[in-house]
Amino acid sequence: MTTTTTVVPEEDHLTLPSARIEAGRLRFTTPGGAEQALRLGAFSLAVPEDLDVAPGLDFCRSFYRPAEGSGDRHRGHREHGHPESKLGYEDRPDQVEQLQLESFLWDRYLPDEVCSVLHRMKDLTLRALYGVFDAAGVPEADREVITGGARQDTGLCYTTVNHYRSGLSDRAGIVEHSDSGFITVICTDQPGYEILHEGRWLPVRQPADHFTVNLGDAFRVLTVKSQRPVTAVYHRVPELRPDPAAVDRSSFTVYMGPRYDMMLYQYDTDGTLLPYQGFRDFSVEKAKDLGYEFHSRIGAGTR
């Protein structure tokens, strides 16, 4: 997929609206922050003071390396196979190699300290998701149908663990795209995230101790005819060059979206909730447009 854009001066950047989870609810720190987040399709979310994300970033720097013995959960994931997962390890055509694992498999395959971080992030992601539903005016009664049961943990939730292979040149860090689900909460150790905003790629300046939150296609499809439509943010990481003084860029995420065996939904102009398209079919078509092969383990009618 090719996008025509203008060159952005180096000093230009974008600051996302900032939010935090307070008393279990999503709160934006400035007036109009929620409306800005819906328009951009992205915002910053404060990392709770008692959440140490270091184990997750350390895992990003080790998961792709050869295992150092049986039972090594920090390394060896390139070769592991993860037979119970529909996702698993992938070499992408950009600089990223990644491990994707569904949340119900975290405790089986990942180190305990990494699981602790991810479970906390999962709770934050769910609270942020429902906060965006509030901001977009999505009725409470519709939300479990739309998400496939996010509160009951029967929707789709997984982590993506990324290692950016800076030694691979002449390719994007991560290709320009929008996320397919509702929401993705991202933790990263270095700058690089860019948003396509009003026809220009703008680097995002992330405040310290904040996650980046992306809103995705499932939100866009759901609300496109509504009074408060949600943007699916188009984003990328440009090519990263090797730096002998620094480690490669690392990031890990928690993603929530519909299951692949269920429908995407859309509100009609009168507020009626209608089926739109099967999420698996939607995802296969999108992967084809981006030049990817859809996950081979995910068949029709699977979770």
Side-chain angles (χ1 to χ4, degrees), residues 4-209:
T4 301
T5 60
T6 56
V7 177
V8 180
E10 187 173 340
E11 65 272 12
D12 285 359
H13 69 278
L14 187 65
T15 300
L16 301 179
S18 181
R20 64 181 60 251
I21 302 296
E22 292 182 347
R25 299 183 67 87
L26 182 67
R27 310 287 188 190
F28 284 87
T29 58
T30 57
E35 290 75 15
Q36 186 185 7
L38 299 187
R39 290 195 303 272
L40 289 172
F43 59 94
S44 295
L45 182 65
V47 178
E49 292 183 0
D50 63 344
L51 175 57
D52 180 8
V53 300
L57 293 171
D58 289 343
F59 182 66
C60 294
R61 300 169 190 137
S62 65
F63 76 94
Y64 57 91
R65 300 182 186 277
E68 296 182 351
S70 62
D72 184 357
R73 293 189 174 192
H74 292 85
R75 290 162 288 272
H77 291 275
R78 174 194 285 267
E79 300 81 17
H80 189 289
H82 310 92
E84 296 179 72
S85 175
K86 300 295 183 182
L87 303 171
Y89 177 89
E90 181 182 17
D91 281 309
R92 292 166 51 99
D94 47 32
Q95 286 183 319
V96 168
E97 57 181 331
Q98 66 184 201
L99 175 66
Q100 295 181 313
L101 287 176
E102 300 90 331
S103 59
F104 64 90
L105 294 174
W106 293 346
D107 294 322
R108 182 172 185 82
Y109 289 127
L110 301 179
D112 291 345
E113 67 275 18
V114 176
C115 294
S116 295
V117 174
L118 291 176
H119 286 303
R120 282 289 307 279
M121 283 181 63
K122 181 181 177 182
D123 179 70
L124 291 171
T125 303
L126 180 62
R127 295 178 188 276
L129 170 61
Y130 272 70
V132 178
F133 278 142
D134 290 339
V138 175
E140 180 79 33
D142 293 340
R143 299 178 186 182
E144 292 303 277
V145 172
I146 290 166
T147 62
R151 283 200 188 278
Q152 282 70 47
D153 203 20
T154 56
L156 177 61
C157 177
Y158 60 81
T159 185
T160 299
V161 182
N162 298 308
H163 167 233
Y164 287 77
R165 300 165 291 182
S166 61
L168 301 181
S169 59
D170 299 321
R171 61 178 76 185
I174 194 166
V175 69
E176 55 197 52
H177 68 288
S178 57
D179 294 342
S180 296
F182 287 107
I183 190 168
T184 309
V185 174
I186 308 167
C187 180
T188 187
D189 64 348
Q190 296 177 34
Y193 176 83
E194 296 184 351
I195 284 177
L196 183 62
H197 180 62
E198 297 179 350
R200 301 191 302 165
W201 283 107
L202 294 178
V204 171
R205 286 190 182 170
Q206 185 74 338
D209 300 320

Side-chain angles (χ1 to χ4, degrees), residues 196-264:
L196 183 62
H197 180 62
E198 297 179 350
R200 301 191 302 165
W201 283 107
L202 294 178
V204 171
R205 286 190 182 170
Q206 185 74 338
D209 300 320
H210 279 68
F211 299 120
T212 299
V213 180
N214 289 342
L215 305 178
D217 293 316
F219 253 129
R220 174 185 58 80
V221 168
L222 178 69
T223 62
V224 67
K225 297 180 181 179
S226 303
Q227 292 184 350
R228 282 177 276 179
V230 179
T231 297
V233 65
Y234 209 60
H235 57 284
R236 71 177 185 183
V237 174
E239 180 183 352
L240 302 174
R241 305 294 176 86
D243 182 353
V247 296
D248 284 342
R249 188 178 193 268
S250 296
S251 68
F252 66 97
T253 77
V254 170
Y255 161 105
M256 287 184 178
R259 297 189 312 274
Y260 290 111
D261 64 350
M262 61 175 283
M263 298 294 293
L264 288 175

